[in-house]
Amino acid sequence: MVTRKPTPRAPVHAPDFERPLVTVDVVIFTVRDEQLQVLLVRRPDTASDPFPGRMALPGGFINVALDASLYDCALRKLEEKTGFEAPYLEQLGSWGSASRDPRGWCATHVYFALVPPPPNDGAPGSEASQWVEVEAALRKRLAFDHAEILAAAVERLRGKVEYTSLPAFLLSEPFTLPQLQRTYEIVLGRPMDKSAFRKRMLDAQFLAETGSIEGGAGRTAMGYRVLDRERAAVFPRTFRAIETPSSRD
Amino acid sequence: MVTRKPTPRAPVHAPDFERPLVTVDVVIFTVRDEQLQVLLVRRPDTASDPFPGRMALPGGFINVALDASLYDCALRKLEEKTGFEAPYLEQLGSWGSASRDPRGWCATHVYFALVPPPPNDGAPGSEASQWVEVEAALRKRLAFDHAEILAAAVERLRGKVEYTSLPAFLLSEPFTLPQLQRTYEIVLGRPMDKSAFRKRMLDAQFLAETGSIEGGAGRTAMGYRVLDRERAAVFPRTFRAIETPSSRD
DNA sequence: CAAATAGTGTCTTTAAGACACTATGCC
DNA sequence: GGCATAGTGTCTTAAAGACACTATTTG
C-alpha cells in the first residue's frame, strides 16, 4: 500500500469521538468429502461472552500493536486456524452497525479464503474449530450476523466461480482436469460438460503441466498447477448466468 | 440486516484492546461536461489537521450516536455533500493499517456512488467540494491513501461497466439510448458499436419507455428510465475483455 | 477383452462486432 | 432536398453447450 506520512506542522490528534469496536473475520472454504465446507469455531461458553457456545466464523479484534494492516490481520487469523501460509485471500466486504454486537457499535472486515483440503487428521470436530458443509452451516444459528456474512461469501464464491479459476485454489497441487471439473461441480452444484470445460481451462492459460498422474482405475491424467497463486484467471464469459449483486451494511 | 440479540446471562463487556479509528469515505462519480468526474473536498488548512489543505474523498469518522450502520453513515455523507436522496450506492471495500493516518491505526470503509450530473450552479469549485475529472484527480496528491482508493474505485467502475447497466445511474431520467451509449463511451474511454449496444440494452429488460424526447437537431429519440434503481442489470457477456482483480489492505 | 476414466471432434447456439442500410425531424 | 441524428438488418466471429467419438490404463 502506498501511504505518505506528512510532516505535521503541529501534533495532529485524533478527535474525541467514541470509537467503534473493530474486528476481522475470515470465511475459509475448502472442498472435502465431495462437499463445499467452511471452517467454523465454537465461541467460549462463558457467560460474559456474547453468543456463548455458538458457532461463528473465525476472527477477532484487531490488535493494533500486532497487525500492520487489515490484510495482515486476516492472514494472521487464517494461519492461526489452518496453518496455511500462502492461501488465496481476498476481501469480501465489511459489516458494521450499532446492533450487530451486544458489546457495542462494531464493524467487522471480512475476508474470504480458499484452501486445499486439510489432512483428515484423527478426530474431526473434537477441537474448537471444525469444517462444516456450507448449507448445513447456513442453517445453523451462528453468532452475530455471521449467517448473513456467510451467505454473502457463498454468493460471492459461486458468482465468481462462474467466470474465474477460483476452484483451482481449493485443490492441492498437482491436480488433474477431471479433479478440477469435479471441484467446479461441487461448488456450483451442477454437472458441467467435459469438452467445454477443458477447452475453457486450457484456453485461459493459467495452468502449467507437471507430468502424468496415476489415479487408480482408468487412463492416467495430466497433472497441473496454477501459474499464479496470487490471482485467479478471468474467463471471457460466464458458464451460464450471473447473479444480481446484493447490498451490504 | 438480520441480527439477534442474545439474552445475556451476565453483562457482556468489550475487551480492553485499544480501538482503531473508524471512518467512512464515499467515492462519488458523475458524468459532467463529457467527462467522468469525482467529487473531492478540500481538507481544513489548520495545522492540527492531517494533510491540511489537501484534496480528499468526502468522508469522516463514524458517529456512533448518529449512524445506525456503515451504509447509513455513507448515505448521510453522500446527502451532506450532494443532496441526493436515492443514488446508486455500493460498498467498495475497506482499507486499514497503522500507517495510513498520522492520528493512529485507522480503518476506513469505502462506498462508491453514482449520481446524475448536478446543475452547473454558479461558481464551480468555489466551495470546499468540487468535481474533478478522474484522471486529473488521480494525478493529484490526495490526502491519506485516497489516491489508491480512488484508483480502486475507478477500476471497479470500469470493470463493472463492461457487463452491467451501471452508467444508467449516471444520467438524469428520462434519458435516450444515444445518451446512455455516450455515457458508456465516456466512462470506458472508447467508442462502441451502436447496433450491438442497443440490442444489448433492450434485450436486458431493465429499461422502461417514457415517450419521445426532442434533442435539438435530428430525429427525436425514445426516452427511458431504469426499472429498478436499487440494482444494476447484469449482461450475459462483457463488452470486450475483463481486467484481473486486484487486492486491497 | 471389458471396464473405467482421460481426452478430442463436430455441430449447434448465443450474443457480440462490423458495417451498411433505412427512418424521422429540422433547416 | 440536405443534413443530422435515431434506429434496423445482415453477416461475421468468439466462445459456450450438447454429445458422440477415440485413447489409454488396469484387471
Side-chain angles (χ1 to χ4, degrees):
Chain A
M1 196 174 85
V2 184
T3 34
R4 304 178 210 88
K5 266 210 175 138
T7 44
R9 287 175 273 174
V12 295
H13 50 269
D16 267 344
F17 288 151
E18 189 193 333
R19 303 185 182 191
L21 296 162
V22 179
T23 62
V24 168
D25 294 309
V26 189
V27 186
I28 308 171
F29 290 110
T30 199
V31 167
R32 260 191 3 154
D33 306 331
E34 302 274 291
Q35 295 177 326
L36 178 63
Q37 301 191 344
V38 63
L39 192 68
L40 297 180
V41 299
R42 190 173 298 282
R43 296 192 58 82
D45 214 347
T46 54
S48 65
D49 214 77
F51 304 97
R54 288 272 190 92
M55 299 303 283
L57 296 170
F61 292 99
I62 286 264
N63 187 328
V64 168
L66 221 68
D67 302 307
S69 70
L70 292 174
Y71 187 86
D72 286 350
C73 181
L75 259 186
R76 178 170 65 83
K77 289 183 190 305
L78 182 66
E79 264 189 73
E80 286 172 9
K81 297 297 173 197
T82 68
F84 279 109
E85 58 316 322
Y88 180 85
L89 184 63
E90 77 169 47
Q91 201 182 63
L92 175 65
S94 56
W95 277 256
S97 74
S99 58
R100 62 180 296 278
D101 190 317
R103 292 167 296 194
W105 218 110
C106 177
T108 187
H109 303 261
V110 184
Y111 284 76
F112 97 77
L114 306 179
V115 300
N120 239 330
D121 45 13
S126 65
E127 307 144 54
S129 68
Q130 65 183 89
W131 294 100
V132 181
E133 193 272 328
V134 286
E135 302 302 333
L138 283 169
R139 280 191 301 270
K140 278 185 199 289
R141 297 187 36 224
L142 300 181
F144 306 103
D145 49 3
H146 286 191
E148 182 192 347
I149 292 174
L150 175 58
V154 172
E155 187 186 330
R156 167 97 137 237
L157 174 63
R158 296 216 167 107
K160 287 189 88 162
V161 164
E162 294 281 356
Y163 62 96
T164 67
S165 65
L166 279 186
F169 300 109
L170 293 167
L171 287 167
S172 42
E173 300 180 334
F175 52 82
T176 67
L177 282 185
Q179 281 169 358
L180 183 58
Q181 180 176 349
R182 188 78 196 105
T183 306
Y184 270 87
E185 292 174 339
I186 289 166
V187 174
L188 293 178
R190 68 164 193 265
M192 314 202 65
D193 179 78
K194 186 168 46 157
S195 176
F197 180 83
R198 299 174 66 93
K199 259 182 285 180
R200 173 177 233 181
M201 295 302 136
L202 296 175
D203 287 356
Q205 301 265 263
F206 70 99
L207 295 172
E209 300 190 348
T210 62
S212 288
I213 290 182
E214 89 304 336
R219 177 174 170 179
T220 61
M222 177 57 69
Y224 294 91
R225 60 176 183 79
V226 303
L227 285 170
D228 181 356
R229 284 199 74 81
E230 295 292 303
R231 66 199 78 250
V234 179
F235 307 130
R237 281 208 235 167
T238 65
F239 270 112
R240 250 172 216 170
I242 343 189
E243 85 300 355
T244 65
S246 69
S247 62
R248 301 186 286 271
D249 254 332
Chain B
M1 197 171 87
V2 185
T3 33
R4 306 178 209 85
K5 267 209 175 140
T7 45
R9 288 173 272 177
V12 295
H13 49 270
D16 266 343
F17 288 152
E18 188 193 334
R19 302 185 184 190
L21 296 162
V22 179
T23 62
V24 168
D25 294 308
V26 189
V27 186
I28 308 170
F29 289 110
T30 198
V31 167
R32 262 193 1 155
D33 305 333
E34 302 274 290
Q35 295 177 326
L36 178 63
Q37 301 191 345
V38 63
L39 191 69
L40 298 180
V41 299
R42 189 174 299 282
R43 294 192 61 80
D45 213 347
T46 54
S48 66
D49 215 75
F51 304 96
R54 288 272 190 91
M55 300 302 284
L57 296 170
F61 292 98
I62 286 264
N63 187 328
V64 167
L66 221 68
D67 302 307
S69 70
L70 292 174
Y71 187 85
D72 285 350
C73 181
L75 259 187
R76 179 171 62 85
K77 290 183 190 303
L78 182 66
E79 263 190 75
E80 284 172 8
K81 297 297 173 195
T82 68
F84 279 110
E85 55 319 323
Y88 179 85
L89 185 62
E90 77 168 48
Q91 201 182 63
L92 176 65
S94 56
W95 277 257
S97 74
S99 58
R100 62 179 299 277
D101 190 316
R103 292 167 295 194
W105 218 110
C106 178
T108 187
H109 303 260
V110 184
Y111 284 76
F112 97 79
L114 306 179
V115 299
N120 239 329
D121 45 15
S126 67
E127 307 145 55
S129 68
Q130 64 184 88
W131 293 99
V132 181
E133 191 274 328
V134 285
E135 301 302 334
L138 284 168
R139 280 191 303 270
K140 279 184 198 289
R141 296 183 40 223
L142 300 181
F144 307 103
D145 49 4
H146 286 190
E148 182 191 347
I149 292 173
L150 175 58
V154 171
E155 187 185 330
R156 168 98 135 236
L157 174 63
R158 296 220 167 104
K160 287 189 90 162
V161 164
E162 294 282 355
Y163 62 95
T164 66
S165 65
L166 279 187
F169 299 108
L170 293 166
L171 289 167
S172 40
E173 298 179 333
F175 51 82
T176 67
L177 283 185
Q179 281 169 359
L180 184 57
Q181 181 176 347
R182 187 76 196 108
T183 305
Y184 270 87
E185 293 174 337
I186 288 167
V187 174
L188 293 177
R190 66 164 194 265
M192 313 201 67
D193 180 79
K194 186 170 44 159
S195 174
F197 179 82
R198 299 174 66 94
K199 258 182 284 178
R200 173 177 235 185
M201 294 303 135
L202 296 175
D203 286 357
Q205 302 264 264
F206 70 99
L207 294 172
E209 301 190 349
T210 61
S212 288
I213 290 183
E214 89 305 335
R219 175 173 173 180
T220 61
M222 179 56 70
Y224 294 92
R225 60 178 183 80
V226 303
L227 284 170
D228 181 358
R229 286 199 73 82
E230 295 291 304
R231 66 199 78 250
V234 179
F235 307 130
R237 282 209 235 165
T238 65
F239 269 112
R240 250 173 215 171
I242 342 188
E243 85 301 352
T244 65
S246 68
S247 62
R248 300 185 287 270
D249 251 332

